[in-house]
Amino acid sequence: DLKAAVSGGLDISVTRHEIGHQFAQYHTINNGGTNNYEPENGGWTIQGGNGHPYAHAVSYHELADFLLNTIPNTGVKVPTGNTIPTVNAGQDVYIPVSTPFTLTAEATDPDTGDNLTYVWDNMSRAHTQFIPVADDKAGALFMRLLPTSEPSRTFPRMSDVIANNNANEQEQLPTQPRYMDFRVTVNDNHKMNYNGEIINASGINSDDILITVADAGPFIVTSQSESGIIYMGETEQIITWEVNGTDQAPINTQEVSISLSVDGGYTYPIALSESTPNTGTAVITIPNGITTETARIKVAANNSIYFDINTTNFEIQSTLSASNKLIGSEIKVYPNPSKGFFTIELDSQRDFTAELYNTVGKLVAKQANENIFNTKNLPEGLYLLQIVDKETSEKVYKKIIIQRN
């Protein structure tokens, strides 16, 4: 039944493709010149390889323009009673090169029972190209994925961000300055009763966002990059990242947020800092009561859509806070900043070890039962001192600054 359309079960690839041509839909790949909206190896949309029964946004608007302006009086118009949803793709933004980003749409629909789905399309048409591609200053770098109920899409997919992959056969982060125009399309999937049958009467709307990839970046989280890191709850830790010009115009990110994942980097529900200066270094407190071997850190721009995460899972162990605070109150470390040494002073005799870690979590110095800690051979910067009571295995952490002048 051709009147049923895709939502009614029509999934005949050649038929839907050729019918699209009859309604002024052109190919979105292999179209010659600069008329290509998708990577050649995408192959998903009706006019872009026809692997799935969904049209690219440009195909939908070609169809709408044909119906409204070329054959406006053809057929019988049937009122659906449906209210078209509204959608906003967000403000145009600047991002750095080779840096992941997330687009998020906001949509509303007053009709009860409608279920909104979202899909993002590249709208920057250019020459044909397969991805990954070496020269990515133009052309489509991201495939259209299938519509979902999630208003956000991360580029590339979060599984690739976690695996430290900036490019695959479906997505590629831009490595040089360029423009990227994306369109979000929202579908309310409205249904109506027509002559005793429930049919599709969807309302569809769209909005565009222009992303300017600036000559800055990449923005890279550099701390927590080695395996075997274990942090205790209620301890202060150092997060570092490479700013690489993102604090300057035109990106101009002055503040970033830092959040924590406990599921290997897929979600970041725990805020560690909602706003901290984009200087490349921040000290955060690991929340207590968390036990995980798959923690990750995310640093995200507060004025844009880009972010990065650390490259390796690390472990968090819950701390007996009362004991730690008691031991901590017995320990003094001075002078701080340290120019060549610092003293560890305990109120009582203890068998202890002292370990000094740099900002990427690497152990740089270690000693046992010595109150004078030599830092003459270490570079200036911020460090984390871990003091362990060997009898109780309880730990205390102190920030140490090494400064020569």
Side-chain angles (χ1 to χ4, degrees):
D1 182 359
L2 295 182
K3 293 184 295 184
V6 170
S7 61
L10 176 64
D11 193 10
I12 307 171
S13 58
V14 175
T15 301
R16 68 190 180 221
H17 179 89
E18 296 305 325
I19 288 178
H21 286 323
Q22 301 305 309
F23 286 88
Q25 293 181 343
Y26 295 94
H27 291 164
T28 53
I29 63 171
N30 194 27
N31 198 11
T34 58
N35 296 311
N36 301 275
Y37 289 87
E38 302 180 75
E40 292 294 307
N41 44 334
W44 280 38
T45 66
I46 293 174
Q47 300 299 338
N50 206 12
H52 292 275
Y54 296 95
H56 188 279
V58 71
S59 300
Y60 170 76
H61 285 273
E62 288 170 340
L63 168 65
D65 181 70
F66 182 79
L67 294 175
L68 290 172
N69 299 311
T70 303
I71 56 169
N73 299 317
T74 301
V76 177
K77 295 179 174 63
V78 178
T80 65
N82 184 25
T83 303
I84 296 175
T86 64
V87 64
N88 186 344
Q91 294 183 342
D92 297 345
V93 292
Y94 291 87
I95 66 171
V97 300
S98 302
T99 303
F101 60 95
T102 299
L103 292 173
T104 301
E106 294 182 0
T108 59
D109 188 330
D111 296 328
T112 303
D114 286 357
N115 298 307
L116 301 182
T117 54
Y118 305 80
V119 66
W120 293 88
D121 285 301
N122 167 69
M123 295 301 294
S124 299
R125 66 180 184 176
H127 53 270
T128 60
Q129 68 182 18
F130 289 82
I131 55 173
V133 60
D135 185 3
D136 57 7
K137 63 177 176 292
L141 297 180
F142 298 95
M143 276 181 51
R144 163 197 250 257
L145 303 181
L146 297 180
T148 71
S149 59
E150 174 57 54
S152 297
R153 176 178 169 181
T154 294
F155 299 78
R157 283 172 291 192
M158 205 64 205
S159 56
D160 282 304
V161 178
I162 292 169
N164 307 311
N165 294 330
N166 284 353
N168 54 48
E169 293 185 352
Q170 296 180 338
E171 301 177 293
Q172 175 176 328
L173 288 175
T175 62
Q176 55 189 312
R178 58 166 291 168
Y179 297 102
M180 298 190 298
D181 186 13
F182 285 93
R183 178 171 295 170
V184 61
T185 300
V186 60
N187 187 330
D188 66 8
N189 298 284
H190 187 81
K191 302 293 189 293
M192 66 174 287
N193 189 315
Y194 181 69
N195 293 336
E197 294 185 18
I198 301 300
I199 66 170
N200 181 25
S202 294
I204 294 175
N205 207 341
S206 62
D207 190 35
D208 286 15
I209 180 173
L210 177 64
I211 300 175
T212 301
V213 183
D215 188 14
F219 182 84
I220 305 174
V221 175
T222 53
S223 57
Q224 293 77 46
S225 60
E226 298 183 3
S227 59
I229 294 176
I230 302 175
Y231 292 147
M232 304 301 295
E234 292 190 344
T235 62
E236 290 185 326
Q237 304 297 338
I238 302 168
I239 310 298
T240 61
W241 62 96
E242 293 182 5
V243 178
N244 284 338
T246 58
D247 58 338
Q248 304 297 315
I251 298 177
N252 201 31
T253 298
Q254 300 303 309
E255 300 286 325
V256 297
S257 61
I258 303 175
S259 52
L260 174 68
S261 170
V262 294
D263 61 4
Y266 288 94
T267 63
Y268 292 82
I270 303 170
L272 300 178
S273 175
E274 294 184 355
S275 185
T276 191
N278 183 24
T279 59
T281 303
V283 177
I284 55 89
T285 300
I286 299 294
N288 200 17
I290 295 175
T291 300
T292 180
E293 296 181 352
T294 55
R296 291 275 187 127
I297 294 292
K298 176 181 179 181
V299 182
N302 280 3
N303 70 328
S304 186
I305 58 175
Y306 68 89
F307 69 93
D308 194 36
I309 67 174
N310 73 295
T311 57
T312 306
N313 288 343
F314 60 92
E315 185 177 349
I316 297 177
Q317 297 179 0
S318 186
T319 300
L320 296 175
S321 58
S323 297
N324 249 8
K325 289 177 181 177
L326 177 60
I327 296 174
S329 65
E330 298 178 356
I331 296 176
K332 296 180 181 178
V333 178
Y334 59 88
N336 192 10
S338 165
K339 293 185 178 182
F341 71 94
F342 59 82
T343 299
I344 302 172
E345 182 179 300
L346 295 88
D347 287 349
S348 59
Q349 186 67 35
R350 290 182 181 271
D351 188 12
F352 72 96
T353 60
E355 299 178 349
L356 199 63
Y357 294 85
N358 64 13
T359 56
V360 296
K362 182 179 180 180
L363 178 65
V364 295
K366 180 179 179 179
Q367 61 189 43
N369 298 324
E370 296 181 31
N371 295 93
I372 305 298
F373 205 113
N374 191 330
T375 62
K376 290 181 179 180
N377 295 326
L378 296 176
E380 290 185 318
L382 188 63
Y383 293 81
L384 191 71
L385 175 66
Q386 174 184 271
I387 301 171
V388 182
D389 186 316
K390 296 174 69 174
E391 181 179 351
T392 65
S393 297
E394 294 172 351
K395 302 175 182 178
V396 173
Y397 296 86
K398 302 285 186 178
K399 287 182 293 183
I400 301 294
I401 297 174
I402 297 178
Q403 181 177 306
R404 301 304 177 203
N405 297 320

